[in-house]
Amino acid sequence: MASNCKLTKHGSDVFEDPTFYRSIVGALQYATVTRPDITYCVNKVCQFLEKPLNSHWKAVKRIIRYLQGTQDMGLTVKPAENLSNLPIVAFCDADWASNIDDRKSTSGACLYLGPNVITWWSKKQQTISRSSTKAEYRSLALASQEIMWVESLLKELQVTHQTPIIFRDNLSTVAMSHNPVLHNRTKHIELDLHFVRDKIQDKTLTIKHILSEFQTADIFIKPLPNTQFITLRNQLRIQDCNSID
């Protein structure tokens, strides 16, 4: 998706065949199973299934052209070097009030088990956040929940793992998750999100800051310039199959 693309549901240029639009977008949803690089843009065009406009269809055609030009690329999976103590690393981020129609934020994250990315998502948050910190913290809580699920699965399979790490590029969110004093000033954040702090105190979860240019989750929350998009796509281990030994 073009980095300056701002899609909205308001407009008079109604697409002439909404059923065709829905069928194409539905097919693109299946492609996200192995192509996390198109997760954000597919999630975005899915928000206009009720009344698609020509501007939405233009964005869909851009996705199709991108897939046509990268048919040989796919998600690379390789064996872990040490199965006895697998690292669990997650990257999560949020784009505050990014939806110009309802001003809801977008959460995005990806989770690595060993060298491989095993789960990823791009979701519009269900409620409106009055601050960027609240939107970021909600995204952090969602990633923590996903880690808990992966941990329970590994425990059932009797696979040991390291203490999970979540990387954030928002310093205020990292500070708030570690410092319980700051929570007294953020009572507007729902209590069910504060389990993140409890996991940190139990030493079952680690939250670390990362520079924005290395934040892999950016690819799931907003359109990016070509250079940054390709860099993050490589971090997701999406490679050309012809270049793999």
Side-chain angles (χ1 to χ4, degrees), residues 2-224:
S3 58
N4 60 350
C5 182
K6 298 293 184 181
L7 298 180
T8 176
K9 64 180 180 181
H10 301 293
S12 57
D13 57 331
V14 180
F15 186 61
E16 60 182 8
D17 192 350
T19 302
F20 180 68
Y21 177 92
R22 297 182 189 114
S23 65
I24 296 298
V25 172
L28 287 174
Q29 286 183 301
Y30 286 99
T32 61
V33 175
T34 55
R35 292 294 298 269
D37 49 331
I38 63 170
T39 300
Y40 168 77
C41 51
V42 173
N43 173 265
K44 193 65 179 178
V45 296
C46 282
Q47 298 175 19
F48 309 104
L49 294 177
E50 182 179 357
K51 186 183 177 182
L53 305 177
N54 286 326
S55 57
H56 306 151
W57 175 241
K58 183 179 179 180
V60 171
K61 290 193 294 183
R62 186 182 177 94
I63 300 172
I64 297 174
R65 286 197 299 269
Y66 169 72
L67 289 177
Q68 185 180 21
T70 57
Q71 293 185 57
D72 293 332
M73 302 195 73
L75 194 62
T76 307
V77 179
K78 69 175 185 179
E81 295 181 357
N82 186 5
L83 292 176
S84 61
N85 199 16
L86 286 174
I88 300 178
V89 177
F91 296 84
C92 70
D93 205 354
D95 195 11
W96 179 50
S98 57
N99 192 298
I100 60 178
D101 293 322
D102 54 19
R103 287 305 173 186
K104 291 183 178 179
S105 306
T106 301
S107 297
C110 58
L111 194 153
Y112 290 80
L113 179 61
N116 305 307
V117 57
I118 60 170
T119 181
W120 55 88
W121 65 85
S122 176
K123 298 179 181 178
K124 186 168 73 169
Q125 295 183 1
Q126 296 182 353
T127 59
I128 299 175
S129 300
R130 299 182 61 184
S131 67
S132 59
T133 301
K134 183 177 180 179
E136 296 273 359
Y137 199 71
R138 186 178 298 276
S139 174
L140 176 61
L142 188 62
S144 302
Q145 291 175 352
E146 187 72 13
I147 285 179
M148 290 175 63
W149 181 86
V150 172
E151 284 184 304
S152 65
L153 178 62
L154 294 177
K155 182 178 180 180
E156 183 178 345
L157 297 174
Q158 298 182 354
V159 176
T160 58
H161 61 84
Q162 301 176 13
T163 302
I165 301 175
I166 299 180
F167 286 102
R168 300 302 312 262
D169 60 2
N170 186 280
L171 281 172
S172 61
T173 306
V174 176
M176 190 171 69
S177 63
H178 285 87
N179 191 344
V181 177
L182 296 178
H183 285 266
N184 295 327
R185 307 173 189 172
T186 55
K187 293 181 180 179
H188 60 284
I189 297 181
E190 291 81 356
L191 293 177
D192 60 341
L193 299 182
H194 291 281
F195 79 94
V196 175
R197 182 193 62 180
D198 295 334
K199 291 185 68 66
I200 293 175
Q201 291 179 339
D202 294 339
K203 300 185 184 302
T204 57
L205 180 65
T206 302
I207 311 295
K208 292 185 178 181
H209 178 256
I210 190 173
L211 296 177
S212 296
E213 55 263 35
F214 303 116
Q215 177 55 275
T216 310
D218 272 355
I219 201 172
F220 300 111
I221 63 171
K222 58 188 175 183
L224 299 172

